[in-house]
Amino acid sequence: MIRAKKEERDLLKILLLGEDEAQRIEVRGALEKLADLEVELSEADPRTIKREASENVDVAMVVFGDNSEAPVAWLQSQHNVANRPMLVAVLRDRSSQVMRTALRAGADEVLFVPLEEVDLARALLKISESRRRTDQAAAGAVICSVTSVSGGVGVTSLAGNLALALRYSLQKKVAVVDLDLQSSDLAVLLNLEPQHSVLDVANNGKKLDSIQLESSLTKHASGVYLLAAPKRIEDSEKVHTADVSTALDVMRQIFDFIVIDHGRHINETSVMAWERSDHLLYVIDQSVSAARCAWRFLDLYGRLGIASVQPHFVLNRFLARHPITEKQITDTLARPIYARVPRDDTAFEQSLAKAQDIWQVAPRSALRKSFDELAVKISGTSAEAVGERPAKLMSFIMSIANAYA
């Protein structure tokens, strides 16, 4: 074990997994040479280690040998683990096929042996910085950004319904922010007519406080609060990055979760919000254009050098029998799908026709269930702890309310 000289909060706790001692020696030696990071190292065999052994670990480094079966199985076992560590695959084979196998299994980072000290230090420093940002934000709201550079894939639908799921199913205090400033679709999705917008917190000439912020929000019947986009398209130019940054700082002290709809436009404000986010969901559908746009986004995101959060792909309007399969998409992107939202035109049409959300019009649908599952995943709450009772109770209350309406 590599002992720490600093306080425990400065440690980077690493779990090194390899099927035999020889596989782990080189990685251990490279870690011991690091001068800028203090690490605490434990080792295990991925074939025998228990699933919960990754708890209280910052990084799990999984060494791929001649047989990748055990490393892949262990990475996959971490897929639904709440608060799992960052997963690093250490590969001997530099082929794109092996790299894709590791990434599809759930690896967040890929390194190659022989390990270059610079590459190892860069990866671990990025993880350490991400942990530091998370620790700093622990006292405030969790921020989840939803974006895509491909139009028509359902960014606003996903952002709005994720916010509703966090409210309905987990009973959290939730705000949703419309940063798609020219489209302003969130208000339409939530069937709201805001009298105030993000413009009310911009250029106010004095320090923003919680009272002023709350007066700028619009409350949905569910209890979700909306910070709306400006009513007029030209007013979007009056909203500055610094104003949005200040608003997020204040909102973080008021709410449990903040969901941000970025739409498809990328600007300085988008990048600022991504840097502050705990989750970044990139929305795609089963189309060639969406996959190509996702590649362009990954290229840009890599060049931005944002270390605090890595994008996760959400496959929206998913059809199991679609000609473009999920496997084809993951092979193209070399990234796993984080969550799937099924296509359900009937539920959406009913929601629009009745001006009600899907928890009211289609409470038993697979669509509603998928949003609840995504909310559970984002929150780190176990599905068993949440259960179906809140949704059923909400449906019962709504049915009574509708009967007397």
PDB file of all heavy atoms in Angstrom, residues 4-32:
ATOM      1  N   ALA A   4       0.016   7.697   2.537  1.00  0.00           N
ATOM      2  CA  ALA A   4      -0.178   9.133   2.274  1.00  0.00           C
ATOM      3  C   ALA A   4       0.547   9.943   3.317  1.00  0.00           C
ATOM      4  O   ALA A   4       0.624   9.576   4.483  1.00  0.00           O
ATOM      5  CB  ALA A   4      -1.655   9.475   2.299  1.00  0.00           C
ATOM      6  N   LYS A   5       1.062  11.083   2.880  1.00  0.00           N
ATOM      7  CA  LYS A   5       1.704  12.017   3.802  1.00  0.00           C
ATOM      8  C   LYS A   5       0.769  13.163   4.146  1.00  0.00           C
ATOM      9  O   LYS A   5       1.023  13.905   5.081  1.00  0.00           O
ATOM     10  CB  LYS A   5       2.988  12.557   3.179  1.00  0.00           C
ATOM     11  CG  LYS A   5       4.037  11.483   2.917  1.00  0.00           C
ATOM     12  CD  LYS A   5       5.262  12.067   2.261  1.00  0.00           C
ATOM     13  CE  LYS A   5       6.299  11.001   1.980  1.00  0.00           C
ATOM     14  NZ  LYS A   5       7.497  11.537   1.313  1.00  0.00           N
ATOM     15  N   LYS A   6      -0.319  13.285   3.327  1.00  0.00           N
ATOM     16  CA  LYS A   6      -1.247  14.380   3.550  1.00  0.00           C
ATOM     17  C   LYS A   6      -2.448  13.880   4.322  1.00  0.00           C
ATOM     18  O   LYS A   6      -2.585  12.692   4.618  1.00  0.00           O
ATOM     19  CB  LYS A   6      -1.700  14.957   2.201  1.00  0.00           C
ATOM     20  CG  LYS A   6      -0.549  15.553   1.390  1.00  0.00           C
ATOM     21  CD  LYS A   6      -1.084  16.169   0.118  1.00  0.00           C
ATOM     22  CE  LYS A   6       0.049  16.765  -0.699  1.00  0.00           C
ATOM     23  NZ  LYS A   6      -0.448  17.404  -1.933  1.00  0.00           N
ATOM     24  N   GLU A   7      -3.364  14.802   4.610  1.00  0.00           N
ATOM     25  CA  GLU A   7      -4.581  14.423   5.284  1.00  0.00           C
ATOM     26  C   GLU A   7      -5.395  13.544   4.366  1.00  0.00           C
ATOM     27  O   GLU A   7      -5.286  13.571   3.151  1.00  0.00           O
ATOM     28  CB  GLU A   7      -5.390  15.677   5.659  1.00  0.00           C
ATOM     29  CG  GLU A   7      -4.678  16.550   6.662  1.00  0.00           C
ATOM     30  CD  GLU A   7      -5.493  17.770   6.996  1.00  0.00           C
ATOM     31  OE1 GLU A   7      -6.669  17.836   6.601  1.00  0.00           O
ATOM     32  OE2 GLU A   7      -4.957  18.662   7.668  1.00  0.00           O
ATOM     33  N   GLU A   8      -6.312  12.741   4.933  1.00  0.00           N
ATOM     34  CA  GLU A   8      -7.057  11.761   4.164  1.00  0.00           C
ATOM     35  C   GLU A   8      -7.896  12.407   3.081  1.00  0.00           C
ATOM     36  O   GLU A   8      -8.105  11.835   2.022  1.00  0.00           O
ATOM     37  CB  GLU A   8      -7.935  10.940   5.108  1.00  0.00           C
ATOM     38  CG  GLU A   8      -8.627   9.794   4.401  1.00  0.00           C
ATOM     39  CD  GLU A   8      -9.319   8.869   5.361  1.00  0.00           C
ATOM     40  OE1 GLU A   8      -9.083   8.999   6.575  1.00  0.00           O
ATOM     41  OE2 GLU A   8     -10.101   8.024   4.890  1.00  0.00           O
ATOM     42  N   ARG A   9      -8.387  13.614   3.278  1.00  0.00           N
ATOM     43  CA  ARG A   9      -9.230  14.242   2.267  1.00  0.00           C
ATOM     44  C   ARG A   9      -8.459  14.542   0.988  1.00  0.00           C
ATOM     45  O   ARG A   9      -9.026  14.764  -0.064  1.00  0.00           O
ATOM     46  CB  ARG A   9      -9.859  15.531   2.805  1.00  0.00           C
ATOM     47  CG  ARG A   9      -8.877  16.651   3.080  1.00  0.00           C
ATOM     48  CD  ARG A   9      -9.597  17.924   3.481  1.00  0.00           C
ATOM     49  NE  ARG A   9      -8.673  19.006   3.765  1.00  0.00           N
ATOM     50  CZ  ARG A   9      -8.155  19.254   4.942  1.00  0.00           C
ATOM     51  NH1 ARG A   9      -8.455  18.461   5.970  1.00  0.00           N
ATOM     52  NH2 ARG A   9      -7.329  20.258   5.126  1.00  0.00           N
ATOM     53  N   ASP A  10      -7.092  14.562   1.067  1.00  0.00           N
ATOM     54  CA  ASP A  10      -6.272  14.830  -0.101  1.00  0.00           C
ATOM     55  C   ASP A  10      -5.856  13.555  -0.819  1.00  0.00           C
ATOM     56  O   ASP A  10      -5.191  13.605  -1.840  1.00  0.00           O
ATOM     57  CB  ASP A  10      -5.024  15.624   0.287  1.00  0.00           C
ATOM     58  CG  ASP A  10      -5.371  17.012   0.804  1.00  0.00           C
ATOM     59  OD1 ASP A  10      -6.278  17.638   0.235  1.00  0.00           O
ATOM     60  OD2 ASP A  10      -4.728  17.432   1.770  1.00  0.00           O
ATOM     61  N   LEU A  11      -6.223  12.415  -0.274  1.00  0.00           N
ATOM     62  CA  LEU A  11      -5.869  11.145  -0.875  1.00  0.00           C
ATOM     63  C   LEU A  11      -6.706  10.872  -2.116  1.00  0.00           C
ATOM     64  O   LEU A  11      -7.869  11.246  -2.202  1.00  0.00           O
ATOM     65  CB  LEU A  11      -6.119  10.007   0.111  1.00  0.00           C
ATOM     66  CG  LEU A  11      -5.072   9.716   1.182  1.00  0.00           C
ATOM     67  CD1 LEU A  11      -5.596   8.655   2.122  1.00  0.00           C
ATOM     68  CD2 LEU A  11      -3.768   9.278   0.556  1.00  0.00           C
ATOM     69  N   LEU A  12      -6.093  10.182  -3.064  1.00  0.00           N
ATOM     70  CA  LEU A  12      -6.827   9.605  -4.176  1.00  0.00           C
ATOM     71  C   LEU A  12      -6.797   8.094  -3.952  1.00  0.00           C
ATOM     72  O   LEU A  12      -5.749   7.467  -4.074  1.00  0.00           O
ATOM     73  CB  LEU A  12      -6.179   9.987  -5.503  1.00  0.00           C
ATOM     74  CG  LEU A  12      -7.027   9.784  -6.759  1.00  0.00           C
ATOM     75  CD1 LEU A  12      -8.267  10.678  -6.723  1.00  0.00           C
ATOM     76  CD2 LEU A  12      -6.209  10.086  -8.000  1.00  0.00           C
ATOM     77  N   LYS A  13      -7.935   7.529  -3.613  1.00  0.00           N
ATOM     78  CA  LYS A  13      -7.994   6.100  -3.285  1.00  0.00           C
ATOM     79  C   LYS A  13      -8.207   5.298  -4.561  1.00  0.00           C
ATOM     80  O   LYS A  13      -9.199   5.478  -5.255  1.00  0.00           O
ATOM     81  CB  LYS A  13      -9.110   5.834  -2.284  1.00  0.00           C
ATOM     82  CG  LYS A  13      -8.888   6.515  -0.935  1.00  0.00           C
ATOM     83  CD  LYS A  13      -9.990   6.182   0.047  1.00  0.00           C
ATOM     84  CE  LYS A  13      -9.736   6.857   1.391  1.00  0.00           C
ATOM     85  NZ  LYS A  13     -10.817   6.554   2.371  1.00  0.00           N
ATOM     86  N   ILE A  14      -7.248   4.407  -4.845  1.00  0.00           N
ATOM     87  CA  ILE A  14      -7.250   3.657  -6.091  1.00  0.00           C
ATOM     88  C   ILE A  14      -7.374   2.162  -5.806  1.00  0.00           C
ATOM     89  O   ILE A  14      -6.655   1.616  -4.962  1.00  0.00           O
ATOM     90  CB  ILE A  14      -5.969   3.927  -6.902  1.00  0.00           C
ATOM     91  CG1 ILE A  14      -5.885   5.426  -7.262  1.00  0.00           C
ATOM     92  CG2 ILE A  14      -5.930   3.071  -8.160  1.00  0.00           C
ATOM     93  CD1 ILE A  14      -4.604   5.786  -7.987  1.00  0.00           C
ATOM     94  N   LEU A  15      -8.289   1.515  -6.523  1.00  0.00           N
ATOM     95  CA  LEU A  15      -8.433   0.062  -6.479  1.00  0.00           C
ATOM     96  C   LEU A  15      -7.854  -0.485  -7.785  1.00  0.00           C
ATOM     97  O   LEU A  15      -8.327  -0.152  -8.874  1.00  0.00           O
ATOM     98  CB  LEU A  15      -9.907  -0.321  -6.349  1.00  0.00           C
ATOM     99  CG  LEU A  15     -10.244  -1.809  -6.475  1.00  0.00           C
ATOM    100  CD1 LEU A  15      -9.584  -2.605  -5.359  1.00  0.00           C
ATOM    101  CD2 LEU A  15     -11.760  -2.017  -6.463  1.00  0.00           C
ATOM    102  N   LEU A  16      -6.806  -1.301  -7.690  1.00  0.00           N
ATOM    103  CA  LEU A  16      -6.138  -1.869  -8.861  1.00  0.00           C
ATOM    104  C   LEU A  16      -6.584  -3.315  -9.024  1.00  0.00           C
ATOM    105  O   LEU A  16      -6.387  -4.151  -8.144  1.00  0.00           O
ATOM    106  CB  LEU A  16      -4.621  -1.791  -8.689  1.00  0.00           C
ATOM    107  CG  LEU A  16      -3.765  -2.432  -9.787  1.00  0.00           C
ATOM    108  CD1 LEU A  16      -4.075  -1.816 -11.144  1.00  0.00           C
ATOM    109  CD2 LEU A  16      -2.285  -2.295  -9.445  1.00  0.00           C
ATOM    110  N   LEU A  17      -7.178  -3.615 -10.186  1.00  0.00           N
ATOM    111  CA  LEU A  17      -7.709  -4.947 -10.445  1.00  0.00           C
ATOM    112  C   LEU A  17      -6.944  -5.622 -11.578  1.00  0.00           C
ATOM    113  O   LEU A  17      -6.822  -5.067 -12.675  1.00  0.00           O
ATOM    114  CB  LEU A  17      -9.197  -4.864 -10.819  1.00  0.00           C
ATOM    115  CG  LEU A  17     -10.130  -4.280  -9.758  1.00  0.00           C
ATOM    116  CD1 LEU A  17     -11.537  -4.114 -10.315  1.00  0.00           C
ATOM    117  CD2 LEU A  17     -10.165  -5.178  -8.535  1.00  0.00           C
ATOM    118  N   GLY A  18      -6.435  -6.810 -11.307  1.00  0.00           N
ATOM    119  CA  GLY A  18      -5.752  -7.612 -12.323  1.00  0.00           C
ATOM    120  C   GLY A  18      -5.857  -9.067 -11.927  1.00  0.00           C
ATOM    121  O   GLY A  18      -5.908  -9.396 -10.736  1.00  0.00           O
ATOM    122  N   GLU A  19      -5.862  -9.953 -12.930  1.00  0.00           N
ATOM    123  CA  GLU A  19      -6.112 -11.362 -12.631  1.00  0.00           C
ATOM    124  C   GLU A  19      -4.935 -12.056 -11.943  1.00  0.00           C
ATOM    125  O   GLU A  19      -5.098 -13.114 -11.363  1.00  0.00           O
ATOM    126  CB  GLU A  19      -6.503 -12.106 -13.914  1.00  0.00           C
ATOM    127  CG  GLU A  19      -7.847 -11.644 -14.464  1.00  0.00           C
ATOM    128  CD  GLU A  19      -8.311 -12.483 -15.642  1.00  0.00           C
ATOM    129  OE1 GLU A  19      -8.097 -13.713 -15.612  1.00  0.00           O
ATOM    130  OE2 GLU A  19      -8.879 -11.909 -16.579  1.00  0.00           O
ATOM    131  N   ASP A  20      -3.749 -11.477 -12.034  1.00  0.00           N
ATOM    132  CA  ASP A  20      -2.620 -12.039 -11.299  1.00  0.00           C
ATOM    133  C   ASP A  20      -1.640 -10.920 -10.943  1.00  0.00           C
ATOM    134  O   ASP A  20      -1.725  -9.804 -11.450  1.00  0.00           O
ATOM    135  CB  ASP A  20      -1.917 -13.153 -12.092  1.00  0.00           C
ATOM    136  CG  ASP A  20      -1.463 -12.703 -13.464  1.00  0.00           C
ATOM    137  OD1 ASP A  20      -0.693 -11.724 -13.549  1.00  0.00           O
ATOM    138  OD2 ASP A  20      -1.890 -13.314 -14.456  1.00  0.00           O
ATOM    139  N   GLU A  21      -0.703 -11.259 -10.088  1.00  0.00           N
ATOM    140  CA  GLU A  21       0.252 -10.281  -9.574  1.00  0.00           C
ATOM    141  C   GLU A  21       1.062  -9.641 -10.690  1.00  0.00           C
ATOM    142  O   GLU A  21       1.323  -8.434 -10.675  1.00  0.00           O
ATOM    143  CB  GLU A  21       1.185 -10.976  -8.573  1.00  0.00           C
ATOM    144  CG  GLU A  21       2.285 -10.090  -8.003  1.00  0.00           C
ATOM    145  CD  GLU A  21       1.765  -9.058  -7.014  1.00  0.00           C
ATOM    146  OE1 GLU A  21       0.598  -9.181  -6.602  1.00  0.00           O
ATOM    147  OE2 GLU A  21       2.542  -8.145  -6.670  1.00  0.00           O
ATOM    148  N   ALA A  22       1.430 -10.430 -11.686  1.00  0.00           N
ATOM    149  CA  ALA A  22       2.263  -9.916 -12.769  1.00  0.00           C
ATOM    150  C   ALA A  22       1.563  -8.806 -13.538  1.00  0.00           C
ATOM    151  O   ALA A  22       2.195  -7.852 -13.996  1.00  0.00           O
ATOM    152  CB  ALA A  22       2.635 -11.056 -13.723  1.00  0.00           C
ATOM    153  N   GLN A  23       0.239  -8.916 -13.688  1.00  0.00           N
ATOM    154  CA  GLN A  23      -0.522  -7.890 -14.406  1.00  0.00           C
ATOM    155  C   GLN A  23      -0.508  -6.562 -13.667  1.00  0.00           C
ATOM    156  O   GLN A  23      -0.615  -5.496 -14.278  1.00  0.00           O
ATOM    157  CB  GLN A  23      -1.969  -8.341 -14.599  1.00  0.00           C
ATOM    158  CG  GLN A  23      -2.157  -9.444 -15.622  1.00  0.00           C
ATOM    159  CD  GLN A  23      -3.629  -9.745 -15.843  1.00  0.00           C
ATOM    160  OE1 GLN A  23      -4.495  -9.256 -15.123  1.00  0.00           O
ATOM    161  NE2 GLN A  23      -3.921 -10.564 -16.842  1.00  0.00           N
ATOM    162  N   ARG A  24      -0.385  -6.620 -12.351  1.00  0.00           N
ATOM    163  CA  ARG A  24      -0.516  -5.407 -11.545  1.00  0.00           C
ATOM    164  C   ARG A  24       0.824  -4.727 -11.253  1.00  0.00           C
ATOM    165  O   ARG A  24       0.852  -3.558 -10.852  1.00  0.00           O
ATOM    166  CB  ARG A  24      -1.224  -5.730 -10.231  1.00  0.00           C
ATOM    167  CG  ARG A  24      -2.594  -6.372 -10.413  1.00  0.00           C
ATOM    168  CD  ARG A  24      -3.372  -6.406  -9.107  1.00  0.00           C
ATOM    169  NE  ARG A  24      -2.795  -7.289  -8.119  1.00  0.00           N
ATOM    170  CZ  ARG A  24      -3.179  -8.552  -7.891  1.00  0.00           C
ATOM    171  NH1 ARG A  24      -4.144  -9.087  -8.635  1.00  0.00           N
ATOM    172  NH2 ARG A  24      -2.619  -9.280  -6.949  1.00  0.00           N
ATOM    173  N   ILE A  25       1.935  -5.447 -11.423  1.00  0.00           N
ATOM    174  CA  ILE A  25       3.247  -4.923 -11.023  1.00  0.00           C
ATOM    175  C   ILE A  25       3.579  -3.627 -11.752  1.00  0.00           C
ATOM    176  O   ILE A  25       4.002  -2.636 -11.134  1.00  0.00           O
ATOM    177  CB  ILE A  25       4.347  -5.971 -11.269  1.00  0.00           C
ATOM    178  CG1 ILE A  25       4.234  -7.090 -10.224  1.00  0.00           C
ATOM    179  CG2 ILE A  25       5.732  -5.333 -11.214  1.00  0.00           C
ATOM    180  CD1 ILE A  25       5.222  -8.234 -10.437  1.00  0.00           C
ATOM    181  N   GLU A  26       3.399  -3.607 -13.071  1.00  0.00           N
ATOM    182  CA  GLU A  26       3.805  -2.434 -13.842  1.00  0.00           C
ATOM    183  C   GLU A  26       2.969  -1.217 -13.471  1.00  0.00           C
ATOM    184  O   GLU A  26       3.500  -0.102 -13.347  1.00  0.00           O
ATOM    185  CB  GLU A  26       3.681  -2.712 -15.335  1.00  0.00           C
ATOM    186  CG  GLU A  26       4.203  -1.575 -16.187  1.00  0.00           C
ATOM    187  CD  GLU A  26       4.291  -1.946 -17.656  1.00  0.00           C
ATOM    188  OE1 GLU A  26       3.951  -3.098 -18.001  1.00  0.00           O
ATOM    189  OE2 GLU A  26       4.704  -1.086 -18.449  1.00  0.00           O
ATOM    190  N   VAL A  27       1.661  -1.412 -13.278  1.00  0.00           N
ATOM    191  CA  VAL A  27       0.791  -0.292 -12.914  1.00  0.00           C
ATOM    192  C   VAL A  27       1.153   0.224 -11.533  1.00  0.00           C
ATOM    193  O   VAL A  27       1.244   1.433 -11.309  1.00  0.00           O
ATOM    194  CB  VAL A  27      -0.692  -0.716 -12.954  1.00  0.00           C
ATOM    195  CG1 VAL A  27      -1.586   0.456 -12.559  1.00  0.00           C
ATOM    196  CG2 VAL A  27      -1.059  -1.225 -14.335  1.00  0.00           C
ATOM    197  N   ARG A  28       1.409  -0.696 -10.627  1.00  0.00           N
ATOM    198  CA  ARG A  28       1.797  -0.304  -9.271  1.00  0.00           C
ATOM    199  C   ARG A  28       3.085   0.509  -9.289  1.00  0.00           C
ATOM    200  O   ARG A  28       3.220   1.531  -8.605  1.00  0.00           O
ATOM    201  CB  ARG A  28       1.973  -1.547  -8.405  1.00  0.00           C
ATOM    202  CG  ARG A  28       2.228  -1.242  -6.926  1.00  0.00           C
ATOM    203  CD  ARG A  28       2.739  -2.461  -6.198  1.00  0.00           C
ATOM    204  NE  ARG A  28       1.911  -3.629  -6.468  1.00  0.00           N
ATOM    205  CZ  ARG A  28       2.379  -4.880  -6.539  1.00  0.00           C
ATOM    206  NH1 ARG A  28       3.674  -5.115  -6.391  1.00  0.00           N
ATOM    207  NH2 ARG A  28       1.562  -5.883  -6.768  1.00  0.00           N
ATOM    208  N   GLY A  29       4.043   0.073 -10.092  1.00  0.00           N
ATOM    209  CA  GLY A  29       5.305   0.792 -10.181  1.00  0.00           C
ATOM    210  C   GLY A  29       5.140   2.196 -10.734  1.00  0.00           C
ATOM    211  O   GLY A  29       5.768   3.142 -10.252  1.00  0.00           O
ATOM    212  N   ALA A  30       4.277   2.339 -11.740  1.00  0.00           N
ATOM    213  CA  ALA A  30       4.027   3.661 -12.313  1.00  0.00           C
ATOM    214  C   ALA A  30       3.363   4.579 -11.298  1.00  0.00           C
ATOM    215  O   ALA A  30       3.684   5.774 -11.206  1.00  0.00           O
ATOM    216  CB  ALA A  30       3.156   3.536 -13.560  1.00  0.00           C
ATOM    217  N   LEU A  31       2.447   4.044 -10.499  1.00  0.00           N
ATOM    218  CA  LEU A  31       1.774   4.848  -9.474  1.00  0.00           C
ATOM    219  C   LEU A  31       2.755   5.310  -8.406  1.00  0.00           C
ATOM    220  O   LEU A  31       2.655   6.433  -7.893  1.00  0.00           O
ATOM    221  CB  LEU A  31       0.636   4.045  -8.835  1.00  0.00           C
ATOM    222  CG  LEU A  31      -0.589   3.792  -9.718  1.00  0.00           C
ATOM    223  CD1 LEU A  31      -1.522   2.786  -9.054  1.00  0.00           C
ATOM    224  CD2 LEU A  31      -1.336   5.095  -9.975  1.00  0.00           C
ATOM    225  N   GLU A  32       3.709   4.460  -8.065  1.00  0.00           N
ATOM    226  CA  GLU A  32       4.678   4.804  -7.028  1.00  0.00           C
ATOM    227  C   GLU A  32       5.616   5.933  -7.465  1.00  0.00           C
ATOM    228  O   GLU A  32       6.209   6.613  -6.635  1.00  0.00           O
ATOM    229  CB  GLU A  32       5.485   3.568  -6.647  1.00  0.00           C
ATOM    230  CG  GLU A  32       4.671   2.542  -5.867  1.00  0.00           C
ATOM    231  CD  GLU A  32       5.441   1.251  -5.629  1.00  0.00           C
ATOM    232  OE1 GLU A  32       6.461   1.039  -6.340  1.00  0.00           O
ATOM    233  OE2 GLU A  32       5.023   0.466  -4.770  1.00  0.00           O
TER     234      GLU A  32
END
